[in-house]
Amino acid sequence: MKTVIISSGEISDYDFCIDIVKSADRIICADGGTRHAINMKLVPNVIIGDMDSSSAQYIEYFGKKGVEVIQYPREKDKTDTHICVEYAMDFSTEIILLGATGSRIDHMIANISLLKLGIERDIPISIIDSKNNIRLIKDSIILEGKAGDLFSLIPYTGKAEGVSTRGAHYELEDATIELEDSRGVSNYFEKDTVEVTIKKGYMLVIKSKD
């Protein structure tokens, strides 16, 4: 089951998001993500959070639509998006986060850290916006695109070891990339697919466009 979680970060292209949301089996709004749902004319299955950034008008509107609202206290140890991810992992086989990037760098970094929860439960989690698709791996991934598409490899731990790529312009073979090393940034596809494998550590794999 594919679940889309709509958070309260920035969404600059609703048309881009609509196609993703239409492919979902369930839609969850993380608190202020309700404004994005309103703008996209979507009715989520559930709204989760402390409701400190969602308009009361939106909550009332969705309540009348029969949407379940799960409210948490404002003083809590996890972000609304974190709570939504944990909730979704109980029934999802894939999770996509929308509205998880933007000007609040602290929230964006925290959201990226949630990708590790998916690895621990063997549930792929992606953060997607109109410019980026962000995944975290500890073994391998196959990226789909076309020649010239950009992607970057950034160690999430101190270093990633045994890094190899296939189908990329700058290919790596059993390389070690350390956290402070920018060598993995702005590589690009030579073919329609790129395979990335690592033997040790965790690696952010980001497919991007300018």
Side-chain angles (χ1 to χ4, degrees), residues 105-140:
I105 300 301
D106 52 346
H107 277 283
M108 185 170 68
I109 292 173
N111 290 336
I112 289 172
S113 74
L114 299 177
L115 301 180
K116 190 169 181 290
L117 296 177
I119 288 180
E120 293 169 354
R121 292 276 294 272
D122 197 27
I123 300 170
I125 303 177
S126 305
I127 293 175
I128 301 178
D129 61 29
S130 61
K131 298 290 187 181
N132 305 281
N133 186 320
I134 307 170
R135 288 285 304 275
L136 181 69
I137 66 168
K138 68 172 183 178
D139 41 34
S140 65

Side-chain angles (χ1 to χ4, degrees), residues 38-52:
I38 289 287
N39 289 337
M40 288 187 280
K41 298 180 173 59
L42 301 172
V43 177
N45 298 98
V46 60
I47 300 167
I48 302 174
D50 55 22
M51 308 308 155
D52 67 342

Side-chain angles (χ1 to χ4, degrees), residues 178-209:
E178 301 196 23
L179 185 61
E180 66 274 15
D181 187 354
S182 60
R183 177 168 39 149
V185 175
S186 290
N187 203 340
Y188 59 91
F189 285 56
E190 284 284 359
K191 302 178 180 180
D192 291 338
T193 61
V194 168
E195 182 178 7
V196 180
T197 60
I198 65 173
K199 295 178 180 177
K200 186 176 180 181
Y202 291 87
M203 178 79 79
L204 287 169
V205 181
I206 305 172
K207 188 172 180 287
S208 302
K209 59 182 178 181

Side-chain angles (χ1 to χ4, degrees), residues 80 83 86 95-96 121 186 188:
D80 294 324
I83 293 169
E86 290 188 329
I95 298 171
I96 296 174
R121 292 276 294 272
S186 290
Y188 59 91

Side-chain angles (χ1 to χ4, degrees), residues 18 21 41 49-50 59 90 92 157 166 169 181 183 193:
I18 284 291
V21 173
K41 298 180 173 59
D50 55 22
I59 299 299
D90 286 339
S92 302
T157 46
R166 296 289 182 271
H169 181 74
D181 187 354
R183 177 168 39 149
T193 61

Side-chain angles (χ1 to χ4, degrees), residues 6-9 29-38 47-55 58-59 80:
I6 305 174
S7 296
S8 60
C29 278
D31 198 349
T34 52
R35 81 179 188 279
H36 296 311
I38 289 287
I47 300 167
I48 302 174
D50 55 22
M51 308 308 155
D52 67 342
S53 58
S54 182
S55 166
Y58 295 162
I59 299 299
D80 294 324

